Structure formats: structure tokens, C-alpha cells
Amino acid sequence: MTERSGKCNILKFVKVLSFAFIFVILVIFVAATVRTLTFDVNAGLQLAPWEKTNNIAYDINQQQRGELLANFKDAIRIPTVSTSRTDQNTTALRDFNDLLRKAFPTVFSSHLVQHEVVANYSHLFWVPGSDLALVPYMLLAHIDVVPAEESDGWDAPPFSAKEIDGFIYGRGTIDNKQSVMGILQALEYLLIRGYSPQRGFFIGLGHDEEIQGLHGAMNIVKLLKKKGVQLAFVLDEGLAVLDGVITGLQGPAALIGISEKGHATVKLSVSMAPGHSSMPPWESSIGILAGAVKRLEDNPMPRLFGEGPERGTFEHLAHKFGLPLKFVMSNMWLFSPLLGRVMERSPETNAFVRTTTAVTMFNAGVKVIHLVVVTPTVQLQCVCLSCCQVLDLIQSIVGDERVKMELMHGFDPLPISSYDETSFGFQIIKKTVLDQFPQVTVAPGICIGNTDSRHYTDLTKDIYRFAPTWFRPGDAQRFHGINERISKKNYEELVGFYFNLIQNCDIKDLPSPHSAVHEL
């Protein structure tokens, strides 16, 4: 009897537990479904009444269209190549300086614009505003480009600016002369039409971004610090408009970078007593380090998807996916581990999920018959991990005290800039994008590369990385690759974007988020 009673109690307990489990699952499913049907973080300020502005319309005639394209092509033809910190084409940089003065005579002659050359080849412009109470902002771009050779397989010479099927081909067309020329072309047009800003702004053009900006951007920052400048926000290159790139997304997406991955260059080394190859030790230094490198490649850094700004990216885009992806994207609180596992399967998306590891150099030996020091160099792009944390993880993965590690240089991931409804910079950029491209969905994102803007963190808490360059499937490989190009139409749009952005920044205050909710 007692045994039967015990079995009944166990059966009841299992039933209660089962019903409780089913109930919890049902509640979670209902909550996730409701969130899927109602979730849209983009609704807010789009429906709010924005401050009235009398913006000058971006209307250009055929002659101006021809001139702006000619100016841009001239910029592409100047090979402002940065090969290394000790190897820059300074002749080309001087030629580029002359081109800017020729292409934008109003910018360089206007009494409104203050200009100075920094570190011989970089440029700093200051356009004061009429309302001194408004905190200024800053637009950034860089003049230098990475090396390119026609023999690599280009369809057109990389410094020819040749037109093919409506596209201008050349190194710098999307990194980053489109922004250099686009910003100054927009300012040139505004000044010609009598524009005078209410909110002051700076323009910074670095000449060595591709080799870490140690002379250009860093000296511009030093100059601004001496003047006591603080900025409302900074806008630099970075992310773009992605059209057909994100699988399952309905329509194009403009991703505005709100942070950058960190970077670390780590040297591994093993020192062994020199010896003759005819009498080798049981384990060579090359063998020890080969094993260490193999362990690093076989054991990637931890997956941290959902712990950084990438969660905001998918939440902003969720309403533009169809089912079942919309259900997943709307409920990142539930599905981020699953989505992270899916993304890590592709090298392109794995970079958004974790700190990535790449062995870039491997040096060993000074003579064929000798055994000496071996030093591979490991490049890491850091997500949500500091350089110190990365070093600790490498030590743990390698697990060999004979392997010495040295952080050659690096920096931690950049702070996350604000992107909520009270974020002036993000919302002004977003408004400008949507006014020009109403079919686009705007979302925050993370830059997996690094930009000059990382040097500006002492001047502002809000740094954004975006230019309205349109990327379609396959275009990402053109970045630092072969056949870099931009369509003529897209370059004209880019000039229009900066033309309107500068004027939109004269808005004093964002509309209240509450008014948007009220109108709903």
C-alpha cells in the first residue's frame, strides 16, 4: 500500500512538473508572438513633428553634375597610397592638396570657412555657426588609400577612374575619397547658395588612416583639444547601405556604426639554444609554435553574440523580415544563442560573433642548418573583449609555458555610442537617410574594421560610422580588393546626403519621443 502510494505521488509530481513546463513554454511562446506582432523600434521619431527648417533643395543641373563627377575622377586618379608607416606617396598627397583648392574654390576663399593644414598633408576646416549655444559636430574622411595593382585582376587600371556600365572604377571610390570629395562638394554648393549654418561644424580629412592615423587624425585631435573643443557627435566612414546582402530582409538596410571592434597584434615566440640540424632536439621551436598556432585555430575565441551592439541591429531590422525569421529577430532575448551558432558558420558573419584570430606572419631561422628563435604574429579583431582578456585567453588556449607572448600593439573595443530616441547625432543621420531613401530601414551596427574616428573618443561620447555608399552582393569584396567602384548615381546621392545632413544639423532639439507615441 505504501509502495503504491509512493508511486502515485511520483506520478502526480511528474504530471505537475510536465504541466508546469508546458505552461512556461506556452507563456514564452505567447509573449514572443505578441512581441513579434507589435515590435518595431523604428516607429518613434518618424511620426513625431520635427522642428521646421527652411532647407535649401539639393538641385543640380547637368553642368554641375558633370563638374562634380570630373572632380571626383580627378581625386581617384591621384595615387595617395599608404603602404606602411614609413612608405607613403607624399608627392601624390601634395597633388591632392592642390586638387582640393582647384575643385572647391568657394570653400577655400569663403570668409565663413577657416582652414589649416595639419601634419603637412591632413586638413582641418571649421565653419562657425550663428548660434553659439549649439554644440558643434564633426565630419571625418580620409585621403589615403591602400595599394592596388592592375595585375591583380582589375577590369580597369586602379587609378584610372574609368567608367564601365555607369560605375567609376578605382582605388578610393568606396574607401574613402567618395566621402572626402562628397563632403567638400556639398559644402561648396551650400556656400555658393548663400548658406550660413546655425550649428558650427568641423571637417577633418586625415592623410594616413590606412596606417593607423598616427600623424593625421591624432594631430587634428591634439589641435582641437588645445582649443578646448567638445563635439555633439562625430560622423566618419564605416558601414553602408546594404541592398540584398542580408538574407531574408525585405528591402535595403542602412547600418550606422555605433562602435568598432578592438585590435591586437600579438607575437608568439619560442627561444631554444642554437644547434645544428644534424643533431636536432626531440621537439623543435618550429614544432612547438606550430602546435600553438594549430590550437589557436582549432579553438576559436568564445562566442559573444548578444552581448554587444549587434543585438540592436537585429531588433531594428526585425519588422522587415518574414516569418519565421521575424519571430527570431523580434525575440533576441530568447534566440541570440541560436542565432550566434548559425552566424559563426560563415567567415563573413563569424566576425560579428567573436574575436577573430589570424596568423599573418611566421618568421624562423637565420640559416638553413641552424635552429633558432621562431616568431609567428597573430592579428586579432576584438569583440567585447579587452586586449588583456584576449592575452589571457591565448595563454589558456596555447597551454605551453615555453611559448612567450607579447602584445606588440592594440586597443580595446570602442565605446558604444547612443542610438535611442534622445540621441541627437544618430537621429539626425537617420532622418537624413530616410528623407533621401524612404525605402531603407535604418539600424545601428558594429564596424569590424577600424577608422580614424577611434582617436576622437576624448572629444565626444557619440561617434558614428556611416556613408550612404550602396553595397550589393559581392561588393564587400571590392573593399581593399580588386575592382573597387561606385556608381555615378550613388556618388551624386552621397553629395546630396552631406548637403542635407549639414542643414539638418541646424535643428536645435529633437522632437519628444512622447509626441510620437501620442500621435500613434
Side-chain angles (χ1 to χ4, degrees), residues 136-403:
Y137 62 99
M138 190 164 190
L139 304 176
L140 300 181
H142 67 88
I143 296 165
D144 64 323
V145 300
V146 296
E149 298 291 341
E150 186 176 358
S151 58
D152 292 337
W154 285 70
D155 292 341
F159 297 102
S160 66
K162 183 178 179 180
E163 275 188 45
I164 302 176
D165 297 329
F167 287 87
I168 299 170
Y169 280 67
R171 178 63 85 223
T173 49
I174 59 175
D175 182 28
N176 178 237
K177 287 179 179 175
Q178 86 281 24
S179 292
V180 171
M181 301 301 285
I183 291 168
L184 291 183
Q185 188 71 71
L187 180 57
E188 178 83 1
Y189 286 156
L190 285 167
L191 293 172
I192 288 172
R193 300 185 191 188
Y195 171 74
S196 179
Q198 294 183 56
R199 186 186 299 272
F201 62 96
F202 293 90
I203 299 171
L205 307 178
H207 74 275
D208 60 348
E209 188 272 350
E210 298 293 359
I211 47 175
Q212 300 191 6
L214 301 181
H215 297 288
M218 287 190 72
N219 279 302
I220 290 174
V221 169
K222 286 178 184 176
L223 201 57
L224 294 176
K225 281 185 175 180
K226 283 183 181 178
K227 296 178 180 181
V229 171
Q230 283 294 303
L231 302 167
F233 70 93
V234 165
L235 176 62
D236 196 3
E237 63 164 336
L239 299 181
V241 180
L242 307 182
D243 186 12
V245 174
I246 303 175
T247 303
L249 185 70
Q250 299 167 2
L255 301 185
I256 301 172
I258 56 171
S259 183
E260 292 178 15
K261 295 179 73 171
H263 176 85
T265 300
V266 179
K267 183 170 76 174
L268 311 183
S269 62
V270 170
S271 296
M272 297 185 73
H276 200 280
S277 58
S278 65
M279 295 177 290
W282 294 116
E283 193 172 13
S284 69
S285 52
I286 292 178
I288 293 168
L289 273 174
V293 169
K294 185 69 166 63
R295 288 191 290 277
L296 280 175
E297 292 183 336
D298 289 346
N299 299 277
M301 295 287 169
R303 185 178 62 252
L304 296 173
F305 183 78
E307 298 184 28
E310 69 282 347
R311 177 169 175 170
T313 303
F314 288 99
E315 289 183 339
H316 276 71
L317 298 176
H319 67 293
K320 286 292 186 176
F321 283 93
L323 293 173
L325 285 175
K326 182 176 182 179
F327 187 80
V328 173
M329 304 301 181
S330 299
N331 295 281
M332 293 297 292
W333 59 277
L334 184 60
F335 293 111
S336 59
L338 174 64
L339 191 57
R341 286 186 177 276
V342 173
M343 292 181 68
E344 70 180 356
R345 295 177 182 177
S346 164
E348 289 80 8
T349 51
N350 182 54
F352 292 92
V353 169
R354 60 163 47 85
T355 293
T356 52
T357 307
V359 180
T360 55
M361 291 187 288
F362 210 111
N363 300 317
V366 293
K367 200 172 180 183
V368 174
I369 60 174
H370 280 80
L371 303 170
V372 288
V373 178
V374 183
T375 56
T377 301
V378 182
Q379 300 271 355
L380 300 108
Q381 296 290 331
C382 311
V383 176
C384 299
L385 292 173
S386 69
C387 290
C388 290
Q389 289 172 314
V390 166
L391 276 177
D392 289 342
L393 281 167
I394 292 176
Q395 187 80 59
S396 174
I397 292 169
V398 170
D400 190 333
E401 292 182 355
R402 295 170 298 178
V403 179

Side-chain angles (χ1 to χ4, degrees), residues 42-55:
N42 291 281
L45 297 187
Q46 289 177 233
L47 298 176
W50 283 77
E51 185 180 308
K52 297 290 184 182
T53 56
N54 296 313
N55 284 9

Side-chain angles (χ1 to χ4, degrees), residues 22-214:
I22 293 170
F23 179 75
V24 169
I25 294 297
L26 187 61
V27 168
I28 291 174
F29 178 77
V30 170
T33 301
V34 171
R35 183 176 171 86
T36 300
L37 297 174
T38 60
F39 187 65
D40 182 0
V41 295
N42 291 281
L45 297 187
Q46 289 177 233
L47 298 176
W50 283 77
E51 185 180 308
K52 297 290 184 182
T53 56
N54 296 313
N55 284 9
I56 301 168
Y58 176 63
D59 294 321
I60 58 172
N61 57 38
Q62 276 302 118
Q63 180 182 345
Q64 290 172 319
R65 181 171 286 109
E67 288 172 352
L68 74 84
L69 290 173
N71 288 339
F72 181 58
K73 289 179 180 180
D74 286 343
I76 299 303
R77 292 187 183 111
I78 301 176
T80 52
V81 174
S82 290
T83 303
S84 70
R85 293 187 193 178
T86 56
D87 185 3
Q88 275 195 282
N89 190 339
T90 53
T91 300
L93 289 171
R94 285 192 291 270
D95 291 343
F96 200 88
N97 186 353
D98 295 338
L99 170 66
L100 293 182
R101 296 173 186 275
K102 175 188 171 185
F104 310 116
T106 310
V107 171
F108 283 90
S109 63
S110 172
H111 70 280
L112 279 176
V113 182
Q114 300 172 25
H115 167 254
E116 53 189 308
V117 176
V118 180
N120 297 320
Y121 310 109
S122 290
H123 298 265
L124 176 62
F125 299 86
W126 163 236
V127 186
S130 58
D131 190 339
L132 300 180
L134 299 180
V135 181
Y137 62 99
M138 190 164 190
L139 304 176
L140 300 181
H142 67 88
I143 296 165
D144 64 323
V145 300
V146 296
E149 298 291 341
E150 186 176 358
S151 58
D152 292 337
W154 285 70
D155 292 341
F159 297 102
S160 66
K162 183 178 179 180
E163 275 188 45
I164 302 176
D165 297 329
F167 287 87
I168 299 170
Y169 280 67
R171 178 63 85 223
T173 49
I174 59 175
D175 182 28
N176 178 237
K177 287 179 179 175
Q178 86 281 24
S179 292
V180 171
M181 301 301 285
I183 291 168
L184 291 183
Q185 188 71 71
L187 180 57
E188 178 83 1
Y189 286 156
L190 285 167
L191 293 172
I192 288 172
R193 300 185 191 188
Y195 171 74
S196 179
Q198 294 183 56
R199 186 186 299 272
F201 62 96
F202 293 90
I203 299 171
L205 307 178
H207 74 275
D208 60 348
E209 188 272 350
E210 298 293 359
I211 47 175
Q212 300 191 6
L214 301 181

